[in-house]
Amino acid sequence: MLEAREISAGYGIVPVIRNISLTVDNGDILVLLGRNGVGKTTLLKSLIGLLKPSSGKILIDGLDVTEWAPSRIAKAGVAYVPQGRGIFPKLTVEENLRVGLRGRKDRSSTIPDDVLAMFPILKERMNQLGGTLSGGQQQILALARALCSDPSHLLLDEPSEGIQPSIIRQISELLQTFSHELDLTILLVEQNLELVRTTATRCFVMEKGCLSRELTTDELEDDQKVFEALAL
Amino acid sequence: MGAVITISLNAMTLISILMLVGLGLAIIYGLMGVINLSHGDFVTIGAFCLAIIQGLGGSFWLALLIAPLIGALLGFLTEQAIIRFLYARPLATIMATWGLSLIIQQSLQLIFGAAPQKVFSPLTTSINLLGVNYPSYRVVMVALSIAIIVMAFVIIRKTKFGLDLRTIIQDRDMAEALGIDTKFVYSIAFSLGTALAAIAGVLLAPLTAVIAQMGINYLAKSFFVVIVGGAGSVPGVVAGSLFVGGTETLLNYIVPTTLSQALVLVFAIILVRVRPSGLVRT
């Protein structure tokens, strides 16, 4: 379970998110919808520890991690795939995956076979540099790398950005597999409605640094309701 | 023919010294981006370690083992006390490391005096190479330098630490978010760089005057080596050393030393103008 209690955060003296409280229960795929610049990425960065909240608390399975370094939060079971994927362009696919092992509690130094089995496309390209992969392949690599740390929580920032529809469908299927078979608790920031509709178990709308309302899965199916909620 | 071989061997000696001093800086400046103006003084510290250990009756080889440990320890303390607060502030780093450099130089001079320290070469014989008699020590030094360069290459390319370091350099936040303790890796990398400088100090001490200011000579040259070679790679250090050391040795036979050093700088400027990312691109 991942919990944010009244957190505020920003860059310098400019506040971006204000008093956000949010609980992602085990097994949930919780989606944050919202237009550009409402603070979705800032919220994720605060949760992984890259941005220290100016107030409020962050808890993982009841443990207060607000003051922890990101590396410690990662080792506590939180994997993070940032916007833009965060692939290391000058490392090979294999090295990118190896780096993903650093967040493991058991300090294992072998890439798990089941991760490789899930992503056959990566297996063929182990010695290729990360920077030479296409956007979709990089996103797949970023997801595989996140799994290498054997996480219990996954924070995903706009995985569909700049990616062709067939890969978006693949990502949707992968997220459902992560949730159902690997028991991953997922917090997904997304703007692609197809991906949101096929994955979300809960959905919140963000506006001007706050959570403005919750959308039920039924409401999500209704374009009119979604556009209203997003004030489009 | 004999002259050509002698010039080549002299060039090899200078090149290997530059490789060793440049290697530490390639990690600290090339990879980590820290403009460390006290790098030369860690070379001095290595040379003084040799003087002290030999003064106490210890051998050269013992100094070669102990000096890098002392260099690493002092580097670790420097990183913890000064550098780690300044990674995002290059100008402040220049000021702080320049200050540290002055403190090291003046402290050594206060404690040991201004006269050159006595150091002894472990080998006083010479060997015959292709018909030319050449000091054995220089040949051993070249061989050791090559071994150390290869070792550094393997550490950066093949070990867990090397992978962590290469990861952090590309994207520090992402590396941290994946579970790498980036602060720890940086302090170890900085210590490795200063340990390499101290090794260089021991190896070159028998060939030069060991005084508190000796590091200054090597500071500027090691920056040339790293910038000309291509910041941040071991092959870059080798290429940069070959360029700077080779050119300087050759020019020394044609023009006076001061002019040759100035000309090396001119060539380096032209080269960086033509190839801004250095000889070896990463």
Side-chain angles (χ1 to χ4, degrees):
Chain A
M1 192 173 76
L2 184 67
E3 198 182 344
R5 276 190 202 158
E6 297 188 343
I7 60 168
S8 299
Y11 303 90
I13 53 161
V14 186
V16 178
I17 55 172
R18 289 185 305 274
N19 284 325
I20 289 193
S21 293
L22 179 75
T23 305
V24 194
D25 286 315
N26 289 349
D28 262 347
I29 301 182
L30 191 149
V31 174
L32 283 178
L33 267 179
R35 289 182 293 170
N36 288 337
V38 297
K40 305 183 299 288
T41 298
T42 306
L43 175 60
L44 283 199
K45 282 193 171 172
S46 311
L47 293 176
I48 190 65
L50 287 172
L51 200 60
K52 289 293 159 214
S54 52
S55 63
K57 276 192 168 141
I58 295 160
L59 298 103
I60 299 166
D61 297 328
L63 196 64
D64 185 349
V65 300
T66 319
E67 295 300 320
W68 288 18
S71 55
R72 207 172 153 202
I73 296 178
K75 289 193 174 90
V78 184
Y80 170 59
V81 178
Q83 200 170 12
R85 303 154 199 123
I87 291 303
F88 302 102
K90 290 178 187 168
L91 298 187
T92 63
V93 168
E94 186 184 347
E95 287 172 331
N96 266 288
L97 292 173
R98 275 194 189 292
V99 171
L101 299 168
R102 300 294 188 264
R104 287 182 81 90
K105 287 185 195 100
D106 63 6
R107 293 170 163 256
S108 157
S109 56
T110 32
I111 301 164
D113 286 336
D114 47 348
V115 172
L116 287 178
M118 206 183 286
F119 305 96
I121 187 176
L122 298 178
K123 222 171 170 179
E124 299 159 14
R125 296 165 197 268
M126 290 300 258
N127 296 319
Q128 203 173 319
L129 287 182
T132 64
L133 299 180
S134 71
Q137 290 165 343
Q138 286 192 4
Q139 189 63 58
I140 299 291
L141 174 58
L143 290 173
R145 185 177 65 186
L147 288 194
C148 282
S149 67
D150 190 24
S152 49
H153 298 75
L154 178 60
L155 310 178
L156 271 174
D157 200 347
E158 299 214 21
S160 74
E161 194 192 30
I163 285 174
Q164 64 191 53
S166 66
I167 310 263
I168 295 180
R169 277 193 287 281
Q170 198 188 341
I171 291 172
S172 162
E173 284 160 19
L174 281 169
L175 294 186
Q176 290 170 63
T177 313
F178 291 0
S179 170
H180 300 142
E181 289 172 27
L182 305 176
D183 288 328
L184 266 177
T185 301
I186 300 172
L187 177 58
L188 169 66
V189 162
E190 191 46 79
Q191 304 207 53
N192 180 295
L193 276 181
E194 187 199 339
L195 185 54
V196 174
R197 283 171 177 151
T198 50
T199 54
T201 57
R202 292 177 74 195
C203 176
F204 282 97
V205 178
M206 256 186 105
E207 212 175 317
K208 292 182 190 158
C210 303
L211 297 183
S212 59
R213 63 172 291 189
E214 182 166 2
L215 284 172
T216 63
T217 45
D218 288 338
E219 284 171 321
L220 265 179
E221 296 298 328
D222 186 341
D223 278 350
Q224 199 57 40
K225 287 245 165 66
V226 174
F227 292 154
E228 245 176 59
L230 290 171
L232 285 173
Chain B
M1 186 61 195
V4 173
I5 293 168
T6 311
I7 293 175
S8 309
L9 288 169
N10 283 345
M12 288 286 284
T13 308
L14 180 59
I15 289 165
S16 58
I17 290 172
L18 291 175
M19 277 199 310
L20 283 176
V21 186
L23 185 59
L25 196 70
I27 294 172
I28 291 172
Y29 167 67
L31 292 178
M32 299 168 65
V34 174
I35 303 175
N36 178 18
L37 294 189
S38 66
H39 189 71
D41 303 293
F42 285 90
V43 176
T44 313
I45 287 169
F48 272 74
C49 283
L50 175 65
I52 295 166
I53 289 168
Q54 286 188 330
L56 294 171
S59 76
F60 177 88
W61 309 109
L62 180 70
L64 199 56
L65 288 177
I66 292 178
L69 297 179
I70 292 177
L73 178 69
L74 293 175
F76 184 78
L77 294 175
T78 304
E79 202 274 347
Q80 293 284 312
I82 303 171
I83 309 288
R84 71 163 35 193
F85 304 105
L86 305 175
Y87 283 121
R89 299 168 59 193
L91 281 176
T93 311
I94 293 175
M95 288 294 285
T97 55
W98 183 42
L100 177 68
S101 163
L102 295 176
I103 291 169
I104 295 174
Q105 285 173 27
Q106 297 305 319
S107 308
L108 286 173
Q109 187 150 346
L110 275 174
I111 300 167
F112 297 97
Q117 302 298 306
K118 280 198 183 105
V119 292
F120 310 98
S121 166
L123 301 163
T124 46
T125 54
S126 52
I127 56 169
N128 195 295
L129 280 179
L130 303 168
V132 174
N133 272 326
Y134 205 71
S136 323
Y137 176 70
R138 289 184 173 221
V139 178
V140 169
M141 193 188 76
V142 171
L144 278 174
S145 308
I146 294 170
I148 291 167
I149 280 275
V150 170
M151 208 167 68
F153 185 76
V154 171
I155 288 176
I156 290 172
R157 281 279 138 196
K158 298 289 173 197
T159 64
K160 181 170 176 284
F161 167 78
L163 178 57
D164 285 354
L165 187 58
R166 284 183 292 136
T167 304
I168 297 172
I169 291 149
Q170 292 179 54
D171 185 344
R172 188 167 183 174
D173 275 357
M174 195 60 226
E176 178 77 33
L178 285 170
I180 298 175
D181 185 344
T182 58
K183 283 185 180 168
F184 180 72
V185 174
Y186 260 20
S187 54
I188 298 300
F190 192 86
S191 315
L192 179 65
T194 52
L196 285 166
I199 292 182
V202 175
L203 285 172
L204 67 86
L207 305 178
T208 184
V210 178
I211 55 170
Q213 288 79 18
M214 66 182 280
I216 298 170
N217 278 328
Y218 299 99
L219 176 69
K221 278 185 194 158
S222 54
F223 269 99
F224 286 179
V225 163
V226 174
I227 292 168
V228 166
S233 79
V234 175
V237 173
V238 176
S241 310
L242 284 168
F243 177 85
V244 176
T247 323
E248 188 174 325
T249 312
L250 274 180
L251 287 173
N252 270 339
Y253 282 89
I254 307 164
V255 294
T257 314
T258 32
L259 183 58
S260 76
Q261 291 191 350
L263 283 174
V264 170
L265 180 57
V266 170
F267 290 150
I269 291 170
I270 294 170
L271 198 138
V272 171
R273 178 68 188 79
V274 181
R275 279 181 81 96
S277 54
L279 289 166
V280 177
R281 284 177 202 181
T282 48

